[in-house]
Amino acid sequence: MTSRHAHDDTRWGFGPLCGPADPHGHAAPSTPVPESSDLPQSLDTAVTALTELKDSTVSFTVRPDPESVTAARHFAVSRLIEWGVPELADDVGLVVSELVTNALRHSGGTSRGRSGDDVHREGVYDDPADPLGSAPSAIRLRLSLEQPWLLCGIMDASRAAPRRREPDYIAETGRGLHLVESFSDRWGWRALPQGKVVWALFRSP
């Protein structure tokens, strides 16, 4: 599987893809991805605006149910069409699906509590200083467009670093972050007071 984004394009001033290569990564089943650091000022500011719901950022609550991945992808694609960048729909839709799946799988996003418990209750996300609402398994999809760049992020309540697994092209799972890297221009993650955001950057052709 290939993409027109599967390259390290330094012409735009963003430098290499997330984190240095791990020379020993091939020997481990999975490797933690280093937290994004030394980002260009414009990108650093954009990621901050994304997490704080500033500027033109839009947000979608990911519910802990089987249809949430499809719902998040549909939200992203419909917003891209509304913004006039439908050419990004396939790549962004794929990346959103992978990141939401990863967040649900690894951040406690699926409900395991008592019957009736809903950590995604309404009304707990109104405080910009606490974008996750202090809900232990809240997951939010954020999107922001500043032509020609589209920034998307998945916020969850786990501070654990995403882990890149060695690709197994026979297995049905485990290729998520490799797909994110291939179908975005740059991606990374940042720790937040109540969790983290995993973000991906796309350039409209």
Side-chain angles (χ1 to χ4, degrees), residues 11 59 63 68-69 79 119 144 151 189 194:
R11 292 176 298 165
S59 186
R63 303 288 174 176
S68 59
V69 175
R79 184 56 55 137
V119 296
S144 179
L151 185 64
W189 72 279
Q194 288 85 27

Side-chain angles (χ1 to χ4, degrees), residues 108-130:
T110 53
S111 177
R112 299 185 183 91
R114 298 183 301 274
S115 177
D117 276 356
D118 184 5
V119 296
H120 297 266
R121 58 194 179 278
E122 294 294 334
V124 300
Y125 303 105
D126 295 333
D127 181 3
D130 186 7

Side-chain angles (χ1 to χ4, degrees), residues 55-200:
D55 302 330
S56 59
T57 301
V58 296
S59 186
F60 176 82
T61 302
V62 178
R63 303 288 174 176
D65 64 61
E67 301 301 321
S68 59
V69 175
T70 299
R73 183 174 64 249
H74 286 172
F75 172 82
V77 169
S78 63
R79 184 56 55 137
L80 295 178
I81 293 172
E82 180 181 322
W83 282 343
V85 285
E87 64 274 9
L88 293 177
D90 288 344
D91 289 355
V92 174
L94 173 64
V95 168
V96 165
S97 296
E98 294 295 338
L99 292 181
V100 169
T101 298
N102 200 52
L104 287 168
R105 182 174 295 150
H106 299 294
S107 72
T110 53
S111 177
R112 299 185 183 91
R114 298 183 301 274
S115 177
D117 276 356
D118 184 5
V119 296
H120 297 266
R121 58 194 179 278
E122 294 294 334
V124 300
Y125 303 105
D126 295 333
D127 181 3
D130 186 7
L132 291 177
S134 296
S137 48
I139 298 172
R140 303 286 278 185
L141 163 64
R142 297 277 171 85
L143 294 170
S144 179
L145 176 68
E146 185 172 343
Q147 288 281 17
W149 299 103
L150 183 284
L151 185 64
C152 93
I154 302 296
M155 301 170 63
D156 65 56
S158 170
R159 292 176 62 88
R163 300 185 68 90
R164 182 188 284 109
R165 294 173 58 182
E166 272 300 291
D168 183 340
Y169 298 103
I170 298 177
E172 294 183 358
T173 61
R175 297 188 293 272
L177 293 184
H178 295 280
L179 292 176
V180 172
E181 187 167 280
S182 293
F183 284 84
S184 63
D185 284 87
R186 182 167 180 168
W187 76 281
W189 72 279
R190 174 179 292 180
L192 302 173
Q194 288 85 27
K196 69 174 178 297
V197 59
V198 183
W199 54 266

